[in-house]
Amino acid sequence: MTYNQLWRQLTPLYDDREAQAIMRMVLEVAFGLSTVDLYMGKVSELSADSLLKLEEIMRRLLDSEPVQYVLGQADFCGRTFKVCPGVLIPRPETQQLLSMIAPAADSPFTLLDIGTGSGCIAITAALDHPQAHVAAWDLSPAALEIARANAQRFQAQVDWGLQDALHPPHDVDRWDFIMSNPPYICLNERPKMADNVTHYEPEMALYVPDDDPLRFYRAIAGYACHALRPQGRLLFEINPLYAAPLQQMLLQMGFVHVAATEDIFGKLRFMTAVSAKEAIPL
């Protein structure tokens, strides 16, 4: 079996470029083969035990299981995080959220990541900004266990909390930044999504009811109205389909400088807003 034969097996599920990238990732992470090794035909030199392992990996990939779950890891901001089906797989576009805190990089600040999952946002913020106090919430004990393991691996200081974003505490002037990549996909969008997402990634991290697409944004923004410090910033990853109503909602809640930003793929993917303490939650 050659590298070309392996990645071509995945083309019913992925385009050629993605199939090649997935196969390179598998062969590097699971078997230590570099790109040069692949083109030198080293795949054919794998041991019998390695071939059995590779066969099992291919079976899972051909069942549409994401390669990140198969390998138990995903890259984010230049670091490799542990992931499993209990947490959402970090996406490259989400990395842009962290670039939005750059203006505070030289001074101490507080940051809360709501719906932390694997902990990739909170841990990256804590490591890149050691002067910051970083906290993170999630409703899933299993997700928090994974996040804590990732934090321990990187020796990152993050305060973890088991907390429902829909029923937050009444904190006042606590945070300079509140960040969240909450569930934002309506159930009616599910049929258009890939099997490797719908069959494997946690539903509680993905979906909202069709009749309430802003459910989590409304709750988090309501919390942010009193929990952000003066001029504190609210940073969301968003569903482009609901950018306009979300922007209108934030303005009605009293936030200022509300703006949508495109991601690296040219889609409206982020919403930022600045606290105005006279804001009144809806």
Side-chain angles (χ1 to χ4, degrees):
M1 185 70 68
T2 66
Y3 162 64
N4 284 336
Q5 290 172 324
L6 288 168
W7 72 257
R8 289 186 190 280
Q9 291 185 50
L10 300 178
T11 53
L13 301 173
Y14 306 98
D15 63 35
D16 288 2
R17 186 172 181 179
E18 190 169 6
Q20 291 170 26
I22 289 171
M23 208 63 249
R24 285 196 302 270
M25 183 177 177
V26 165
L27 293 169
E28 178 182 356
V29 173
F31 303 101
L33 297 179
S34 67
T35 302
V36 173
D37 291 332
L38 305 187
Y39 290 107
M40 290 180 64
K42 293 292 183 70
V43 176
S44 62
E45 299 176 12
L46 290 174
S47 67
D49 287 345
S50 292
L51 288 173
L52 287 173
K53 180 179 179 181
L54 179 58
E55 182 179 342
E56 172 61 15
I57 288 173
M58 292 302 296
R59 182 195 65 76
R60 294 172 66 182
L61 292 174
L62 291 169
D63 281 342
S64 298
E65 186 171 353
V67 64
Q68 294 90 345
Y69 290 158
V70 173
L71 298 175
Q73 64 180 58
D75 291 338
F76 185 81
C77 287
R79 299 180 178 93
T80 301
F81 288 81
K82 175 185 177 182
V83 296
C84 69
V87 299
L88 199 67
I89 296 168
R91 266 58 174 187
E93 57 268 30
T94 303
Q95 299 178 72
Q96 289 176 244
L97 269 180
L98 289 153
S99 68
M100 298 176 184
I101 64 175
D106 296 328
S107 58
F109 62 88
T110 56
L111 182 149
L112 174 64
D113 172 30
I114 298 179
T116 195
S118 66
C120 61
I121 290 175
I123 291 168
T124 301
L127 293 173
D128 290 352
H129 304 284
Q131 80 284 7
H133 172 80
V134 178
W137 296 348
D138 206 286
L139 181 60
S140 166
L144 286 175
E145 183 177 348
I146 294 167
R148 288 190 178 99
N150 280 320
Q152 185 174 11
R153 177 181 181 183
F154 292 113
Q155 297 184 326
Q157 298 299 313
V158 178
D159 288 337
W160 307 104
L162 183 67
Q163 177 65 54
D164 184 354
L166 297 177
H167 301 93
H170 192 81
D171 295 323
V172 177
D173 292 350
R174 185 174 180 184
W175 311 106
D176 295 300
F177 293 91
I178 295 176
M179 312 178 75
S180 185
N181 177 18
Y184 59 61
I185 300 170
C186 286
L187 289 170
N188 61 20
E189 298 176 68
R190 182 171 182 162
K192 303 174 185 177
M193 298 170 64
D195 288 348
N196 61 344
V197 176
T198 60
H199 291 180
Y200 291 96
E201 298 201 58
E203 292 191 359
M204 67 182 297
L206 291 172
Y207 301 115
V208 288
D210 295 340
D211 61 354
D212 194 10
L214 302 183
R215 169 178 287 186
F216 285 92
Y217 297 105
R218 186 183 305 107
I220 294 169
Y223 170 72
C225 283
H226 49 80
L228 278 174
R229 293 172 175 169
Q231 301 303 304
R233 297 183 70 192
L234 180 60
L235 310 174
F236 282 134
E237 183 167 329
I238 68 170
N239 185 335
L241 294 175
Y242 302 103
L246 174 58
Q247 186 171 29
Q248 183 63 30
M249 185 190 77
L250 292 174
L251 289 169
Q252 290 176 352
M253 295 178 81
F255 290 93
V256 296
H257 305 300
V258 180
T261 305
E262 293 183 348
D263 66 16
I264 55 177
F265 304 111
K267 291 185 178 181
L268 281 180
R269 185 63 68 188
F270 308 103
M271 189 76 69
T272 59
V274 177
S275 170
K277 298 312 290 185
E278 67 270 24
I280 301 174
L282 292 177

